[in-house]
Amino acid sequence: VEKNLKLEEKITMLQQQNEELRARIEQNTVITRQLSEENANLQEYVEKEVEEKKKLSRTNEELLWKLQEGDAVSPVKLPPAPSTPFYRCSSENSSPAKVRTLRR
């Protein structure tokens, strides 16, 4: 009888541990999904930034070529650069992948 009581207590303790572990697994699954989504968003952002950088590089090369060819003899007024958002990872959030928008 005493052995059975000890075994029942152990079963109860193991069941509680099992429930706690299941809850932790569920919590980790939610966090993993959130991080995967943030990662996808950040990858998309990086791809857009790379394309913008390539575009600016081509524009710069074109302007340099025009300067070298003498097409820029008369001053040309360039339109103001569009105000594009600048993204940076915020260290004050719980997740390092949180993105905050700043104006340039």
Side-chain angles (χ1 to χ4, degrees):
V1 173
E2 199 174 305
K3 188 175 181 180
N4 280 345
L5 288 175
K6 286 184 180 182
L7 289 173
E8 286 178 8
E9 287 176 12
K10 190 168 186 175
I11 288 172
T12 302
M13 180 187 70
L14 290 172
Q15 286 174 337
Q16 289 173 345
Q17 285 179 347
N18 192 21
E19 288 177 27
E20 290 170 5
L21 290 172
R22 287 180 195 264
R24 287 175 61 187
I25 288 172
E26 188 175 325
Q27 206 174 25
N28 286 340
T29 301
V30 169
I31 291 170
T32 300
R33 284 187 190 133
Q34 290 172 344
L35 291 174
S36 293
E37 187 176 321
E38 288 178 20
N39 186 41
N41 290 339
L42 287 171
Q43 285 179 344
E44 183 179 332
Y45 166 75
V46 167
E47 289 173 12
K48 288 179 182 178
E49 284 295 307
V50 166
E51 288 303 314
E52 182 67 20
K53 184 177 178 181
K54 286 179 185 177
K55 181 181 173 184
L56 290 172
S57 180
R58 286 191 300 268
T59 301
N60 189 37
E61 288 179 24
E62 181 182 330
L63 291 172
L64 286 172
W65 181 82
K66 285 182 180 181
L67 278 173
Q68 290 173 353
E69 294 297 312
D71 287 346
V73 173
S74 62
V76 177
K77 184 174 183 180
L78 296 175
S83 175
T84 58
F86 174 77
Y87 296 94
R88 135 180 148 191
C89 289
S90 174
S91 61
E92 59 220 21
N93 291 326
S94 60
S95 171
K98 296 283 183 190
V99 175
R100 187 171 61 186
T101 304
L102 301 175
R103 301 310 267 176
R104 281 190 187 168

